[in-house]
């Protein structure tokens, strides 16, 4: 993953100005400011929080044109076992309004002469503006886009305009993406960007094990598996608040800080959205998020306080 980019994070009221249901199970919504104001800038890979009700906040990638400050576009898959987020999105119609927060980017596109984009299902969304940027900068690229069936694969019409740079692989007719062929041998001056279900990301990680360390960039929909059997208590010092708090084995830093009355933002609480990123002034971090890359973890400068913990007895946070 690439470095974290926090842009001008605001909370806005947007209305649904367009809805496209051409892909089975996917609602593509265009969101426009209710007051006609310009939206804040964003870069490919960015996402927004959509506030759908009390304690119901979900993150969705922006998949429109970053140069368009009049609207944002998101594409949302209706999950069969939805916890309420995707179902609430699918119940929105043109004219309805939603509150959103952001944008925020933990999946930035690094410069490269060539890109391999690999999408699984709705994981195509963050890759769409990346492809547009690669085109604009003159970089060469290829997209391998897998889905359950052709009817469930969103945004195919606009992708077909790129001709043979795009390969569509519906599983019901063509089987799975051939990652061995796509990623079999490390390529110089090539970056791999992928988003999709965990099974795809794990397989891509395995195929990229022999590639340079900085070649693979991915974004997850769910948190990494966490073994909390050896969780231990530790103490946190909040530098700006002047508070010292104890975090128990079954508590998160986020919950303890919130309970103490300190204002912190949080959304997914699974270590995947980056909303709760907090600067660490002292102490060793036990990183358990799916946001930071290896270099960012080794720097020991920031942590996601919803899931990450302390390797020692004490942390000092810039809160």
């Amino acid at each position: 993953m690439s470095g974290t980019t926090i842009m001008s994070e605001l909370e806005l009221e947007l209305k649904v100005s367009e809805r496209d249901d051409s892909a089975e199970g996917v609602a593509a919504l265009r969101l426009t400011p209710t007051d006609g104001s310009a939206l804040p800038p964003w870069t490919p890979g960015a996402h927004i929080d959509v506030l759908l009700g009390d304690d119901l906040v979900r993150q969705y990638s922006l998949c429109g044109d970053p140069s368009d400050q009049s609207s944002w576009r998101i594409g949302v898959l209706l999950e069969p076992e939805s916890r309420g987020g995707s179902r609430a999105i699918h119940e929105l119609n043109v004219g309805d309004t939603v509150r959103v927060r952001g944008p925020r980017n933990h999946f930035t596109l690094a410069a490269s002469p060539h890109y391999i984009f690999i999408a699984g299902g709705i994981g195509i969304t963050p890759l769409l503006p990346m492809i547009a940027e690669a085109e604009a900068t003159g970089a060469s690229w290829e997209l391998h886009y897998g889905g359950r069936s052709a009817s469930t694969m969103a945004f195919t019409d606009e992708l077909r305009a790129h001709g043979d740079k795009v390969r569509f692989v519906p599983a019901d007719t063509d089987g799975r993406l051939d990652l061995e062929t796509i990623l079999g041998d490390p390529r110089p001056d090539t970056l791999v960007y992928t988003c999709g279900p965990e099974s795809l990301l794990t397989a891509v990680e395995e195929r990229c094990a022999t590639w340079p360390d900085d070649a693979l960039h991915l974004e997850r929909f769910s948190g990494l598996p966490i073994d909390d059997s050896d969780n231990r208590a530790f103490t946190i010092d909040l530098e700006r608040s002047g508070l010292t708090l104890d975090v128990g084995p079954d508590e998160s830093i986020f919950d303890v800080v919130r309970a103490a009355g300190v204002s912190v933002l949080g959304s997914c609480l699974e270590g995947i959205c980056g909303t709760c990123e907090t600067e660490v002034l002292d102490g060793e971090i036990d990183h358990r998020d799916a946001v930071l890359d290896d270099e960012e973890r080794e720097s020991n400068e920031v942590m996601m306080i919803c899931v990450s913990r302390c390797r020692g007895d004490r942390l000092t946070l810039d809160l």
Side-chain angles (χ1 to χ4, degrees):
M1 302 181 73
S2 299
T4 299
T5 301
I6 303 295
M7 290 167 282
S8 54
E9 182 165 307
L10 303 171
E11 188 168 316
L12 306 165
E13 183 175 61
L14 305 182
K15 67 179 177 182
V16 179
S17 57
E18 293 178 16
R19 174 169 171 151
D20 181 354
D21 293 280
S22 55
E24 181 184 332
V26 177
L29 305 181
R30 188 168 297 280
L31 306 175
T32 307
T34 56
D35 60 3
S37 61
L39 289 166
W42 59 280
T43 53
H47 68 264
I48 55 173
D49 296 340
V50 182
L51 288 65
L52 298 165
D54 294 339
D55 298 321
L56 185 60
V57 181
R58 295 292 182 268
Q59 294 74 43
Y60 299 109
S61 296
L62 293 173
C63 59
D65 179 0
S67 68
D68 177 10
Q69 289 190 267
S70 66
S71 68
W72 284 340
R73 184 176 70 165
I74 59 173
V76 180
L77 174 68
L78 179 60
E79 298 285 354
E81 299 181 7
S82 170
R83 294 176 296 163
S86 68
R87 188 165 301 281
I89 289 287
H90 275 251
E91 290 173 353
L92 294 173
N93 294 302
V94 172
D96 289 340
T97 60
V98 291
R99 300 290 297 178
V100 304
R101 192 167 58 216
R104 192 180 305 110
N105 198 345
H106 300 278
F107 192 39
T108 54
L109 186 68
S112 178
H114 184 73
Y115 298 97
I116 298 175
F117 297 111
I118 303 173
I122 200 61
I124 188 62
T125 51
L127 303 185
L128 289 173
M130 292 186 179
I131 288 169
E133 180 163 310
E135 279 280 296
T137 59
S140 61
W141 60 272
E142 59 194 84
L143 169 66
H144 304 270
Y145 181 10
R148 287 186 290 111
S149 64
S151 64
T152 65
M153 297 169 70
F155 310 110
T156 53
D157 286 346
E158 62 190 78
L159 286 167
R160 285 195 181 94
H162 295 294
D164 60 7
K165 291 182 179 181
V166 179
R167 181 162 182 251
F168 300 104
V169 187
D172 62 343
T173 57
D174 294 12
R176 296 181 181 275
L177 289 166
D178 184 358
L179 297 179
E180 186 58 44
T181 298
I182 298 168
L183 300 169
D185 296 312
R187 302 191 204 174
D189 301 323
T190 297
L191 296 181
V192 179
Y193 279 80
T194 183
C195 185
E198 186 61 31
S199 56
L200 172 65
L201 302 188
T202 299
V204 171
E205 285 181 307
E206 291 173 354
R207 297 307 190 285
C208 286
T210 58
W211 286 58
D213 290 342
D214 60 351
L216 176 60
H217 302 254
L218 54 83
E219 184 169 60
R220 285 186 152 86
F221 293 148
S222 58
L224 295 170
I226 295 175
D227 179 8
D228 57 6
S229 60
D230 61 350
N231 279 5
R232 51 195 293 255
F234 57 93
T235 300
I236 54 174
D237 296 309
L238 308 188
E239 181 78 8
R240 286 187 282 121
S241 303
L243 296 175
T244 296
L245 306 171
D246 293 324
V247 180
D250 299 323
E251 297 178 300
S252 70
I253 296 175
F254 181 87
D255 288 340
V256 168
V257 169
R258 268 277 181 91
V262 177
S263 178
V264 287
L265 285 177
S267 293
C268 73
L269 304 185
E270 297 179 42
I272 58 174
C273 76
T275 307
C276 67
E277 181 176 322
T278 300
E279 185 178 353
V280 178
L281 304 176
D282 191 42
E284 189 176 359
I285 307 163
D286 178 6
H287 291 288
R288 301 184 179 189
D289 65 273
V291 176
L292 301 176
D293 61 25
D294 290 342
E295 183 178 346
E296 290 166 328
R297 291 182 176 209
E298 289 171 8
S299 73
N300 206 66
E301 294 176 351
V302 297
M303 69 185 298
M304 305 304 153
I305 60 173
C306 65
V307 293
S308 296
R309 302 182 67 80
C310 178
R311 288 193 182 279
D313 297 321
R314 203 173 200 100
L315 286 173
T316 301
L317 307 178
D318 186 26
L319 289 173

